[in-house]
C-alpha cells in the first residue's frame, strides 16, 4: 500500500499557522493532521472547528481531523463545515461508536478510529469493514514531543495481519513519537499513514526540509 505523511500542526507556531502549513503543503504534504482536544478526554486543550476553518481557505491538502474529545458525535457537523475531509474519533471516547461512525460517513467524510496504546485492536472487530483508517496511538494522547511506545509495534503487526486475512485494504496510521529514525521500522510493521508533529514543524525554518526527508524515506 502507498505510504503517506500527515504533519500534525500541534507542534506548529499557532501565531503563523497558515504560513507553517503552507510550507509543509508546498514541500509535498498531501495530508494535514489537526489535533482537537477538549481538556476532558485528554489533559490538554488545543483548538476547535474555528481554527480549522480559518486555515482551510488557503490550503488544498486533505484535512485529517483527530478528535481527542468526549462524545465527538456532538461536533461532527461543525468540523465538517469547517472544512474537514476525514474525521478520526477515539474508540474510548464513544459510547455508541457505530452510530458516530455512521454520522461521519453520512456527512460524506472518511472515517477513522484511534486506539490508545493500552486499548486492544480486538475492540474494533465489529466495525473494521466500515473504516477508512485505524490510528494506532504510539504515545498517550494529549501532547506533542513524547517518546514512541515500543509495544505498539506489535499492535500494528497484528492489525495488518487481521486486515489482510479479511481482505481489507485498511489504512493503518501511527501517531506519536514518529521520527526520521524510526519511521522505516514502523512501516515494516505494517503502517502506511504517518502522523508527525515535532519532527516536521520543529524547528520552524526546517519545515520544508523535514517534509522532504520523510517523503524520501516513504517513497524510497
Ligand atoms: C498527540 C497527538 C499527535 C501529536 C504528535 O496526542 O495526537 O498528533 O501532535 O506529535 P509528535 O509527532 O511530536 O509526537
Ligand atoms: Zn493526532
Amino acid at each position: 500500500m502507498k505510504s503517506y505523511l500527515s504533519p500534525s500542526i500541534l507542534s506548529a507556531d499557532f501565531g503563523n499557522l497558515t504560513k507553517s502549513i503552507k510550507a509543509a503543503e508546498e514541500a509535498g504534504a498531501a495530508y494535514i493532521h489537526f489535533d482537537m482536544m477538549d481538556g476532558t478526554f485528554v489533559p490538554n486543550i488545543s483548538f476547535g472547528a474555528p481554527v480549522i476553518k480559518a486555515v482551510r481557505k488557503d490550503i488544498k491538502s486533505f484535512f485529517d481531523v483527530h478528535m481527542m474529545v468526549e462524545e465527538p458525535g456532538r461536533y461532527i457537523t461543525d468540523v465538517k463545515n469547517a472544512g474537514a475531509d476525514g474525521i478520526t474519533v477515539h474508540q474510548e471516547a464513544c459510547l455508541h461508536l457505530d452510530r458516530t461512525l455512521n454520522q461521519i460517513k453520512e456527512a460524506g467524510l472518511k472515517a477513522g478510529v484511534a486506539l490508545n496504546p493500552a486499548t486492544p485492536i480486538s475492540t474494533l472487530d465489529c466495525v473494521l469493514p466500515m473504516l477508512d483508517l485505524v490510528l494506532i496511538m504510539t504515545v498517550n494522547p494529549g501532547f506533542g514531543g513524547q517518546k514512541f511506545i515500543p509495544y505498539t509495534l506489535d499492535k500494528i503487526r497484528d492489525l495488518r495481519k487481521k486486515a489482510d486475512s479479511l481482505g481489507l485494504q485498511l489504512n493503518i496510521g501511527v501517531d506519536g513519537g514518529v521520527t526520521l529514525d524510526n519511521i522505516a521500522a514502523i512501516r515494516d510493521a505494517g503502517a502506511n499513514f504517518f502522523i508527525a508533529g515535532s519532527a516536521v514543524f520543529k524547528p520552524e525554518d526546517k519545515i520544508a526540509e523535514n517534509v522532504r526527508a520523510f517523503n524520501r524515506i516513504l517513497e524510497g
Side-chain angles (χ1 to χ4, degrees):
M1 280 180 87
K2 200 166 173 333
S3 293
Y4 301 96
L5 173 72
S6 186
S8 157
I9 65 155
L10 191 62
S11 294
D13 175 359
F14 284 5
N16 287 296
L17 209 44
T18 299
K19 190 170 155 243
S20 295
I21 299 174
K22 198 125 204 99
E25 179 177 57
E26 282 172 2
Y31 291 79
I32 302 292
H33 183 89
F34 292 82
D35 288 302
M36 275 182 69
M37 300 180 184
D38 65 356
T40 301
F41 179 66
V42 288
N44 194 13
I45 297 175
S46 56
F47 51 78
V51 170
I52 298 171
K53 189 174 180 190
V55 295
R56 177 78 276 187
K57 55 185 183 306
D58 297 304
I59 311 290
K60 289 187 192 62
S61 298
F62 186 102
F63 274 24
D64 139 41
V65 181
H66 177 193
M67 296 182 73
M68 283 161 276
V69 307
E70 286 292 346
E71 291 304 340
R74 297 175 292 162
Y75 304 107
I76 287 167
T77 306
D78 283 356
V79 172
K80 179 205 159 83
N81 291 341
D85 298 297
I87 291 181
T88 297
V89 296
H90 269 263
Q91 185 273 349
E92 306 86 358
C94 299
L95 189 56
H96 302 286
L97 182 62
D98 179 85
R99 175 183 291 147
T100 306
L101 290 171
N102 278 303
Q103 272 179 268
I104 298 172
K105 300 210 123 189
E106 278 158 19
L109 306 178
K110 300 279 187 202
V113 178
L115 293 178
N116 283 339
T119 306
I121 59 166
S122 59
T123 56
L124 298 184
D125 282 357
C126 295
V127 293
L128 219 47
M130 69 196 280
L131 298 181
D132 297 295
L133 170 79
V134 173
L135 188 62
I136 303 287
M137 293 308 298
T138 43
V139 298
N140 288 296
F143 303 94
Q146 303 181 80
K147 261 207 165 74
F148 184 90
I149 299 173
Y151 72 72
T152 59
L153 281 174
D154 290 334
K155 291 175 71 177
I156 299 165
R157 280 187 207 103
D158 291 350
L159 181 58
R160 180 56 73 202
K161 221 185 280 165
K162 186 176 279 194
D164 286 350
S165 73
L166 293 168
L168 297 174
Q169 285 279 315
L170 180 71
N171 287 304
I172 299 180
V174 284
D175 189 2
V178 176
T179 67
L180 289 169
D181 294 330
N182 64 14
I183 194 167
I186 303 169
R187 184 178 51 180
D188 289 347
N192 70 311
F193 214 88
F194 302 88
I195 317 306
S198 39
V200 168
F201 286 104
K202 289 188 173 158
E204 276 284 312
D205 60 343
K206 296 260 157 56
I207 297 170
E209 208 173 298
N210 292 336
V211 168
R212 283 192 211 104
F214 271 110
N215 279 342
R216 264 198 301 276
I217 297 174
L218 295 180
E219 283 155 17

